[in-house]
C-alpha cells in the first residue's frame, strides 16, 4: 500500500502527522513533508495511514493499492 499527498490540496493543517507521528512528519512551514509525493506504507503503519487520510479536512492524502 502507498500513501500519496496531493500538493495543491495540502494546506498544512497538520492533522495527518498528528495522528500518524511514526509515519509522517512536517516541514518548517507546517506542511507534511511528503506533500506532492508518494511513499510506501509499512504494514505496521497501515492503520495510522488510514487515520491520516480520514483526518485531513482537505482530502489531500490518499491510499493507493
Ligand atoms: S495532508 Fe491534510 S492534514 Fe496533512 S498537512 Fe496537508 S492539509 Fe494538513
Amino acid at each position: 500500500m502507498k500513501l500519496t499527498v496531493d500538493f495543491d490540496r495540502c494546506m498544512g493543517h497538520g492533522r495527518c502527522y498528528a495522528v500518524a507521528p511514526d509515519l509522517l512528519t512536517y516541514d518548517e512551514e507546517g506542511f507534511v513533508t511528503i506533500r506532492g509525493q508518494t511513499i510506501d506504507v509499512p504494514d505496521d503503519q497501515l492503520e495510522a495511514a488510514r487515520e491520516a487520510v480520514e483526518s485531513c479536512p482537505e482530502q489531500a492524502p490518499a491510499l493507493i493499492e
Side-chain angles (χ1 to χ4, degrees):
M1 194 82 84
K2 293 179 187 292
L3 179 68
T4 188
V5 176
D6 186 288
F7 185 91
D8 293 323
R9 281 180 181 258
C10 177
M11 296 293 157
H13 295 296
R15 298 193 190 170
C16 58
Y17 49 79
V19 299
D22 294 331
L23 180 66
L24 303 173
T25 187
Y26 51 95
D27 66 17
E28 63 279 356
E29 295 178 344
F31 293 104
V32 65
T33 51
I34 64 161
R35 183 182 179 212
Q37 298 174 35
T38 300
I39 59 167
D40 287 318
V41 179
D43 286 345
D44 66 355
Q45 291 296 311
L46 273 177
E47 193 53 42
R50 286 195 186 96
E51 287 182 25
V53 169
E54 290 170 10
S55 75
C56 179
E58 308 295 339
Q59 284 142 13
L63 280 167
I64 303 167
E65 297 281 350

